Amino acid sequence: MPEKDMQRKSKLTTILWGLVIVCMLVSLPLIYERYHMEGTAKNVEVVFDYRDLLDISMYRTNPSQFINTQLDEMKKTKITSLAVYESTLNELMESGRIALYSSHDAAALAQRAMVPSENFTYVLFKDKESQAQLQNIIQDAFSRLKIKMQPWTFNNQQGLIIELPLDEASLKPMDPDPITMQMLIDRGFHLVIRLSNRRPFVSADMDKLLTQLADQFAVKSMIVDGDGAPGYSEDGSATKNIEEMGRLMLKHHMSLAIIEPLNLKVPQKGVNTLAKAMNYQAFRLHSLSEQDSDKLSESITNKELNGRIRDISDRFVLAVKERNIRMILLNARANKNLGKASYADPLEPIYRSLKYNADSALYRIQNAGYKLGEAEPFNYNPPAWEKVLKPFAVAGSVALIALLIAAFFPTLLLPVFVIGLLGSGGLYVLSPSGLYQSLALGVGVSAVSLAIIKAIQTLRSKAEKPMLHSVLSRLIFTAVLFARTVVISGFGAIFIVSMLNEITYNLVIQQFKGVNVLAFAPLLLAALYLLFYSEKLTLKQKALKLKRMLTSSISVIWIVSAIIILGVSYYYLSRTGNGGTASSLELTFRSFLENTLKVRPRTKEFLIGNPLLILGIYLCLKHRLQALYLVLIGAIGQASIVGTFTHLHTPLQISIIRAFYGLFFGALIALVLIVIWEICARGWNKWTHLLRE
């Protein structure tokens, strides 16, 4: 490249780096807005599923007394709320409000002959109060389904005949049981309503129901029950109905509790549309499922039970601290315990996991700065100036991507930057969300790749100069170069958080896409640069080097090394993202770190990436350029730092602390490795002559 072109390229590179820094600084208020929003809702609500309590009570000799005892215990345990559902005939029967009979049972009860062609449901009200409050609810529900009914009387007790088989009639949803709700309110509990899409959506009927729930029973939150949000249907009217449901919930000042995706087998349909219609007056819910709580009622030793209780407690604490969870929903059921020849339930262990000692979940949640109370949505009201600042984050991201491409193809720096800006403008018109997500992945990969490439360039250049003989001078230079590498990687994290600072990412309605690409692409790009671009080879020399690599004799050590590298790569990718799995040993180690430091640093950072990067830089300063491959592996740690900030549902403060711990402890481990290296190297130099003799 002619000298004039090199000077022009160098000047343009400097300008783009300056633009990156300016855009980064301008983007910081966007990050502060997210930080501020995350602090606007600190209440954590613990909710028990009341229907589960009813079901468990059916296995007790005195169901009513059992329910009363458990409600008292829940109050002591700081379970402040109960989830109530749309009622069913079966639930009303379990509550003792009605009795249910099939045609056969009703005939036997009345001591009359059964009509062979009849298969109806007979409902008998417990008392006049139950009839007064429930008869209209039952009649309205079955009338909407165009099912015939007629009055029925037995022994001066009033009832109904529903012309539907008992098993099917017991499944039909109705308005919630007002008698149960009033009883729970009188006992000091808050109510959270669970509504489904199992009933035809009629705006006037839903408005009437929400008015009753809000005004009479002070309900402030709704959880979707089943596979779809109220109003969702497959007939093409889903969006219109769900938007109307959102309008009604806003009218009655209700919030939406969004169940974590990891708690669901399949996503609930219409929930995202409902949240949008409500202007995201929503918060996240973590559920302890029946299957999870079953583990607490198995026949196990006290030691095993205590361990499982501790795991549940840890799970609740992490959900609140690290995933912005504001509601914990507890589910339970009775299970056969063959060892004790009885039915066991997990209620007592669940209470222990919440509040009996300093290790319990609620104690630790409050210690972390949260309050126990009714969950509230984040105060999401983005200021108008956000739209002015986001283009700076876009421009800075495009500049970083252009600088990465220019590291391989210098002449493309300006064209890529200009085309990137124009393309970003066009993509913004089509899909702002698509633009931000694409650039977020691109800038994350580019920042980490550039950070390692710039380190390789600096170390190659330093190798051409006299070696730094002082250990202190090498340590200082290592610290400065490591800090610069982290700062460049940090540019990627800043731009990602700036562009993806909308509440939809906090609620996991949208997510950062490309976690595995971010984890592995910088390592591959930096390796490509190290092998073919870091030595300023001509195109012909690059081709010859590639040919030598492809035609080299393969030894056993090469095969073993390849297997090890592939195994490590597979494990690295399997541990990346939300779907990663961890061994029991790793889980124990992670639990130890979490309980000791309160925020767990990422293993890939403080045990692998950062120590090897620092050690590699230090060794390169001793003119041991083979250590550039350690610097290359350091890309794992840098990618992990940026990856930490792509967990957009994690509070920003937690991500910052986690990254700091990774840097701090990684540096300490690297310092130990350097000391060990120096001791071994000096010992080798001192005693190696004895081996020659």
Side-chain angles (χ1 to χ4, degrees):
M1 183 181 292
E3 185 177 347
K4 184 177 291 187
D5 290 343
M6 290 182 64
Q7 290 177 351
R8 186 175 62 184
K9 184 250 178 185
S10 176
K11 185 176 181 181
L12 182 58
T13 300
T14 302
I15 291 173
L16 283 189
W17 275 112
L19 178 64
V20 168
I21 294 171
V22 170
C23 290
M24 180 271 296
L25 293 174
V26 174
S27 300
L28 291 179
L30 295 170
I31 297 176
Y32 175 77
E33 273 302 305
R34 174 186 154 184
Y35 173 79
H36 174 72
M37 180 189 70
E38 289 174 342
T40 58
K42 286 292 189 179
N43 284 358
V44 176
E45 187 171 6
V46 183
V47 184
F48 194 89
D49 189 307
Y50 184 72
R51 181 178 286 176
D52 286 352
L53 185 60
L54 279 179
D55 291 342
I56 294 172
S57 72
M58 291 296 99
Y59 295 90
R60 300 294 178 259
T61 54
N62 189 332
S64 177
Q65 182 181 358
F66 175 81
I67 289 174
N68 288 330
T69 300
Q70 295 305 317
L71 291 177
D72 289 338
E73 194 63 33
M74 288 179 191
K75 290 293 289 185
K76 294 177 185 176
T77 312
K78 303 297 184 184
I79 297 175
T80 57
S81 305
L82 292 165
V84 293
Y85 291 72
E86 295 164 304
S87 58
T88 62
L89 292 177
N90 191 63
E91 183 177 312
L92 294 178
M93 181 191 69
E94 289 183 351
S95 299
R97 315 287 181 223
I98 62 174
L100 289 178
Y101 304 97
S102 65
S103 291
H104 179 273
D105 294 335
L109 188 69
Q111 296 182 346
R112 61 174 172 80
M114 179 183 172
V115 180
S117 60
E118 178 188 300
N119 187 13
F120 295 161
T121 298
Y122 286 72
V123 179
L124 200 62
F125 294 105
K126 175 186 175 183
D127 48 40
K128 290 185 178 181
E129 180 189 1
S130 297
Q131 181 188 4
Q133 298 208 45
L134 298 178
Q135 183 167 338
N136 287 339
I137 291 176
I138 295 173
Q139 288 178 327
D140 288 347
F142 287 95
S143 295
R144 281 194 290 265
L145 298 173
K146 296 181 171 46
I147 295 170
K148 294 180 180 179
M149 289 169 286
Q150 53 187 293
W152 174 53
T153 304
F154 177 75
N155 278 354
N156 296 321
Q157 283 183 271
Q158 300 300 310
L160 292 169
I161 300 174
I162 302 172
E163 296 187 9
L164 202 66
L166 176 59
D167 288 341
E168 185 174 351
S170 298
L171 298 176
K172 301 302 182 184
M174 305 178 292
D175 283 355
D177 174 12
I179 302 174
T180 294
M181 290 193 292
Q182 189 60 55
M183 179 270 292
L184 297 176
I185 289 287
D186 291 342
R187 298 194 66 139
F189 288 97
H190 302 299
L191 300 182
V192 176
I193 191 66
R194 298 205 68 171
L195 298 177
S196 70
N197 68 329
R198 300 186 187 102
R199 294 191 286 172
F201 183 84
V202 180
S203 178
D205 292 343
M206 183 59 71
D207 190 16
K208 179 181 176 182
L209 173 60
L210 296 185
T211 299
Q212 179 192 31
L213 292 172
D215 296 348
Q216 185 176 343
F217 302 111
V219 174
K220 295 183 180 178
S221 304
M222 188 268 282
I223 307 171
V224 171
D225 176 33
D227 297 332
Y232 180 84
S233 62
E234 302 287 354
D235 61 3
S237 61
T239 301
K240 179 181 177 181
N241 288 343
I242 292 174
E243 288 177 349
E244 175 64 9
M245 182 68 188
R247 185 189 70 80
L248 292 174
M249 289 186 68
L250 286 177
K251 173 184 174 181
H252 296 289
H253 308 289
M254 286 190 185
S255 302
L256 174 65
I258 300 177
I259 302 174
E260 273 195 298
L262 59 87
N263 293 144
L264 297 169
K265 293 181 180 178
V266 293
Q268 292 177 310
K269 299 171 183 176
V271 170
N272 293 350
T273 305
L274 179 57
K276 182 179 180 180
M278 297 175 62
N279 195 29
Y280 303 107
Q281 293 299 297
F283 49 81
R284 301 187 71 215
L285 175 151
H286 177 75
S287 174
L288 178 72
S289 68
E290 286 91 347
Q291 292 84 353
D292 293 331
S293 61
D294 285 347
K295 298 174 183 177
L296 300 175
S297 58
E298 295 175 352
S299 295
I300 53 178
T301 65
N302 286 336
K303 182 178 180 181
E304 289 173 317
L305 178 59
N306 290 336
R308 293 183 184 184
I309 290 173
R310 176 69 192 205
D311 290 342
I312 295 293
S313 179
D314 289 345
R315 173 175 160 178
F316 293 155
V317 174
L318 289 177
V320 172
K321 284 174 52 182
E322 299 202 0
R323 300 200 300 278
N324 274 326
I325 294 297
R326 293 297 179 267
M327 180 177 283
I328 298 171
L329 177 63
L330 306 171
N331 295 277
R333 63 185 173 190
N335 289 288
K336 286 183 181 179
N337 189 321
L338 297 178
K340 297 180 179 179
S342 64
Y343 279 87
D345 65 65
L347 295 178
E348 194 272 336
I350 288 176
Y351 302 152
R352 285 175 55 193
S353 73
L354 291 171
K355 187 177 173 62
Y356 278 149
N357 53 56
D359 291 332
S360 64
L362 298 187
Y363 179 88
R364 289 190 282 160
I365 287 172
Q366 291 177 93
N367 257 11
Y370 297 90
K371 300 176 182 178
L372 301 181
E374 289 184 279
E376 299 171 341
F378 291 120
N379 184 10
Y380 176 64
N381 189 22
W385 50 259
E386 277 201 3
K387 293 183 178 180
V388 178
L389 297 190
K390 278 207 172 182
F392 287 92
V394 170
S397 300
V398 172
L400 267 177
I401 294 171
L403 286 166
L404 173 63
I405 294 174
F408 296 92
F409 309 104
T411 56
L412 296 181
L413 179 59
L414 184 58
V416 167
F417 178 65
V418 173
I419 292 172
L421 288 180
L422 295 175
S424 296
L427 185 55
Y428 180 83
V429 173
L430 296 175
S431 171
S433 176
L435 168 66
Y436 296 143
Q437 290 194 13
S438 301
L439 278 182
L441 177 58
V443 76
V445 171
S446 298
V448 176
S449 302
L450 270 175
I452 299 300
I453 287 172
K454 296 298 289 183
I456 292 171
Q457 289 175 347
T458 300
L459 293 171
R460 285 280 191 196
S461 174
K462 200 69 178 174
E464 298 172 1
K465 300 176 182 178
M467 187 176 71
L468 296 173
H469 292 285
S470 166
V471 172
L472 180 60
S473 60
R474 284 197 295 271
L475 287 174
I476 292 174
F477 192 92
T478 298
V480 171
L481 184 54
F482 175 67
R484 190 190 73 179
T485 303
V486 172
V487 168
I488 296 174
S489 297
F491 289 160
I494 289 172
F495 288 132
I496 288 172
V497 176
S498 299
M499 290 186 289
L500 308 183
N501 72 332
E502 297 178 11
I503 194 171
T504 52
Y505 294 95
N506 293 77
L507 298 175
V508 197
I509 292 173
Q510 295 190 91
Q511 296 188 66
F512 175 85
K513 297 178 180 178
V515 174
N516 286 335
V517 174
L518 175 58
F520 215 70
L523 189 61
L524 294 178
L525 290 171
L528 183 64
Y529 183 86
L530 176 60
L531 291 173
F532 298 106
Y533 292 88
S534 65
E535 298 176 275
K536 299 179 181 178
L537 302 177
T538 63
L539 183 60
K540 183 177 181 181
Q541 289 172 327
K542 292 174 185 175
L544 289 174
K545 184 173 183 179
L546 178 61
K547 182 180 179 181
R548 285 197 304 272
M549 292 173 63
L550 294 175
T551 58
S552 297
S553 300
I554 299 177
S555 62
V556 174
I557 190 65
W558 277 90
I559 296 174
V560 173
S561 299
I563 293 173
I564 293 174
I565 291 172
L566 288 174
V568 171
S569 299
Y570 174 78
Y571 180 74
Y572 175 46
L573 284 177
S574 72
R575 292 292 299 109
T576 299
N578 295 328
T581 56
S583 65
S584 58
L585 179 62
E586 184 178 353
L587 289 174
T588 301
F589 181 55
R590 290 167 61 173
S591 180
F592 167 76
L593 291 174
E594 178 70 37
N595 294 328
T596 304
L597 300 174
K598 306 307 178 187
V599 176
R600 177 182 58 83
R602 303 184 84 179
T603 307
K604 287 177 288 189
E605 294 172 33
F606 86 97
L607 275 184
I608 302 173
N610 291 338
L612 293 183
L613 174 58
I614 295 172
L615 178 62
I617 293 172
Y618 181 83
L619 295 180
C620 285
L621 294 177
K622 300 188 73 171
H623 288 188
R624 298 180 181 274
L625 287 183
Q626 299 90 335
L628 283 172
Y629 291 97
L630 292 179
V631 175
L632 180 63
I633 297 174
I636 292 174
Q638 299 303 297
S640 180
I641 291 173
V642 178
T644 293
F645 290 90
T646 64
H647 294 264
L648 298 162
H649 56 279
T650 299
L652 191 59
Q653 183 180 11
I654 295 292
S655 295
I656 293 171
I657 294 172
R658 172 166 288 130
F660 171 77
Y661 278 161
L663 296 171
F664 178 75
F665 290 110
L668 288 182
I669 292 172
L671 191 59
V672 172
L673 294 177
I674 289 171
V675 170
I676 293 173
W677 175 273
E678 286 291 343
I679 292 173
C680 293
R682 295 184 185 191
W684 177 264
N685 292 333
K686 184 175 181 179
W687 303 105
T688 188
H689 68 279
L690 295 177
L691 296 176
R692 297 194 189 100
E693 296 175 358

